[in-house]
Amino acid sequence: MGSKAPATNLLLTTKPSEAALSVQLHPLVLLTISDYITRHISRQQLGPIIGSILGRQHGRSLTLEHAYECKTGEGDGGVVLDREWFDERLEQYKDVHKAPALDLVGIFMLGPTQGPSDIHLRFIKEVQKLTSTDSVMLLLFHPEQVDQLQGGKLPITLYESVKEQEGGDVETKFRELGFEVETGDAEMIGVDFVATGAGVASAVPRGDSNTATSAAESSSKEKKTKGKGKTKETDGGANGAVAAGILSPEDEELIASLTAKSNAIKMLHQRLSLIRSYLNSQPSSYLTDATSKEPAPDSTNHTLLRSINAMLSRLPLLASPSAPSAAGLSPATAADKEKEDVHLTSLLSALTRSISETQVLSSKFNIVAREKAVKERSPFAGSGGGMNKGGGRLGFGEDGLLSGGDSGGY
């Protein structure tokens, strides 16, 4: 992969695609590739950088959503993928990402800007054989373009593997594809984590661990022999650790927190400066200048001005008032405060008692009203019996027969 590709790459096809392929690339794939390359180089690991990309394909629409590194080993033709590890890890990712279901759609590797080389073609054919599919894409990351690109461009190129027949043989070639970056909630969380945590990231050389171990062993031996020089040696070791630039997890967390707060303050200052510049650019208004008779221009954004006014109105409510300390109050003021507290307590007690009495009175009124309604609906209510058809009261005579009142009866 270190050798340069020829000027005319024979692995790139010149035939145009019959149907355009729409590709959406998610930032999680880029974060995974960047993290893997950084760890691979920092740990001085050997072997090629290769990983799998998971996504979904619906016709000519393709998404690249997740990625992970692949394990390699020595084979007959050189470096090859570990088949058992590859199959097991792919099944694990499929089990995790079931809704929506994801599948392997491509691989990523390092490569030159001229295009794929023979080693890329060999790994593509190997992945096609392992997955029993021909539609495997290739994402090449160009490390030489990391410090050169500007304007938000990415140092990557996406290729589609196609089958072409030349002579009597069928060969695999690559066709360059365009892509769009699709951002979701998970990607925003990942990007925010990288942005806040990258400020405290530090790479420790691989040989420092052995050096530190040998230094610790020699220090312990000196402590056993000398005895009295224990404090000085401990201080020297601590100073050496600080001088080496190795921070404790607590210090890293504190630095990350302070960095996040500093970034938030800078962003707030920038936005306030922007609002102030916008307000200064506006013409004088009759709301602030009584002598101005010029109407507001048509380009005035009244919605934005109302939002700024509402924000300024809410600021006094968000800021908590600074309460005076008890030690700084005069005796008369302190007595008035205590008197106000006593009066407030008595008012609350009277209000609570009035509410309780109102509830009792309401309950009694409901009971009386319900009993009155029951008596009015009863046909035999009263002490002398019920009402007859003539309007008089019904009663029983001396002979035991039912008789009416003054207005007549039966």
Side-chain angles (χ1 to χ4, degrees):
M1 295 184 60
S3 61
K4 294 184 178 179
T8 303
N9 197 336
L10 300 179
L11 295 179
L12 296 179
T13 180
T14 57
K15 297 181 180 179
S17 177
E18 297 180 356
L21 184 63
S22 175
V23 181
Q24 293 181 351
L25 178 62
H26 287 250
L28 282 180
V29 177
L30 302 177
L31 293 177
T32 303
I33 296 174
S34 176
D35 177 70
Y36 178 36
I37 294 175
T38 303
R39 288 186 287 106
H40 188 91
I41 296 176
S42 299
R43 297 173 182 176
Q44 300 178 1
Q45 296 178 347
L46 303 177
I49 295 178
I50 180 173
S52 300
I53 303 176
L54 300 178
R56 291 175 293 167
Q57 183 172 5
H58 299 283
R60 301 297 293 176
S61 178
L62 189 69
T63 61
L64 309 179
E65 302 184 17
H66 295 275
Y68 62 93
E69 61 269 21
C70 293
K71 183 179 179 182
T72 58
E74 295 293 334
D76 298 336
V79 181
V80 295
L81 293 174
D82 189 337
R83 182 184 181 90
E84 182 179 355
W85 187 94
F86 182 86
D87 294 337
E88 181 181 359
R89 182 56 59 89
L90 181 59
E91 290 299 325
Q92 290 175 354
Y93 271 89
K94 286 184 179 181
D95 292 339
V96 172
H97 301 284
K98 286 185 176 180
L102 301 182
D103 201 352
L104 190 142
V105 294
I107 62 173
F108 67 86
M109 296 182 67
L110 297 183
T113 57
Q114 290 80 7
S117 58
D118 294 336
I119 188 171
H120 302 116
L121 179 61
R122 181 163 58 85
F123 275 109
I124 281 290
K125 290 183 177 180
E126 186 176 359
V127 173
Q128 289 177 350
K129 183 178 180 181
L130 292 176
T131 58
S132 300
T133 179
D134 294 336
S135 58
V136 178
M137 306 183 67
L138 174 64
L139 189 149
L140 286 186
F141 185 90
H142 311 302
E144 65 273 13
Q145 291 186 346
V146 173
D147 299 330
Q148 300 177 2
L149 293 179
Q150 296 180 357
K153 295 182 180 180
L154 299 175
I156 61 174
T157 307
L158 196 61
Y159 296 96
E160 177 188 12
S161 59
V162 294
K163 297 289 186 180
E164 288 189 0
Q165 186 173 2
E166 293 186 359
D169 300 332
V170 178
E171 298 182 357
T172 301
K173 291 193 175 184
F174 299 94
R175 179 187 293 117
E176 186 175 349
L177 296 174
F179 59 89
E180 297 179 355
V181 178
E182 181 71 18
T183 305
D185 295 338
E187 285 81 4
M188 295 176 64
I189 295 173
V191 171
D192 179 71
F193 176 78
V194 172
T196 54
V200 297
S202 59
V204 179
R206 193 172 184 179
D208 288 356
S209 59
N210 297 331
T211 305
T213 305
S214 61
E217 292 178 355
S218 61
S219 177
S220 61
K221 291 180 180 179
E222 292 177 359
K223 289 178 184 178
K224 292 181 180 179
T225 55
K226 295 183 178 180
K228 293 183 179 180
K230 187 179 298 182
T231 306
K232 295 183 179 179
E233 292 173 357
T234 304
D235 295 340
N239 294 332
V242 174
I246 302 176
L247 300 177
S248 62
E250 292 78 8
D251 294 337
E252 292 183 355
E253 184 177 357
L254 177 60
I255 292 175
S257 177
L258 294 177
T259 303
K261 292 180 180 179
S262 176
N263 294 334
I265 294 174
K266 290 180 181 179
M267 182 179 295
L268 178 61
H269 182 265
Q270 293 175 356
R271 294 186 177 182
L272 290 178
S273 301
L274 179 62
I275 293 175
R276 184 175 58 184
S277 301
Y278 175 77
L279 293 178
N280 291 333
S281 64
Q282 298 298 314
S284 59
S285 172
Y286 63 92
L287 298 177
T288 56
D289 188 3
T291 61
S292 177
K293 298 181 179 180
E294 297 181 0
D298 297 337
S299 59
T300 303
N301 191 343
H302 296 281
T303 303
L304 181 58
L305 293 177
R306 283 194 294 268
S307 300
I308 296 175
N309 188 21
M311 181 190 67
L312 295 177
S313 302
R314 288 196 302 266
L315 287 179
L317 301 177
L318 298 177
S320 58
S322 56
S325 58
L329 295 177
S330 61
T333 307
D336 293 339
K337 293 279 295 179
E338 293 180 359
K339 186 183 299 183
E340 291 176 359
D341 294 340
V342 172
H343 289 169
L344 180 61
T345 304
S346 61
L347 288 176
L348 290 175
S349 177
L351 180 61
T352 305
R353 185 169 57 254
S354 300
I355 293 175
S356 178
E357 293 176 355
T358 303
Q359 290 179 349
V360 174
L361 180 62
S362 176
S363 300
K364 293 181 179 179
F365 178 78
N366 291 333
I367 294 174
V368 172
R370 184 167 57 251
E371 291 295 332
K372 184 177 180 180
V374 171
K375 289 181 179 180
E376 290 178 354
R377 289 196 302 267
S378 177
F380 297 99
S383 58
M387 300 293 295
N388 58 9
K389 290 184 178 181
R393 292 191 173 275
L394 298 177
F396 295 91
E398 296 179 355
D399 53 355
L401 298 177
L402 186 63
S403 61
D406 296 335
S407 58
Y410 293 95

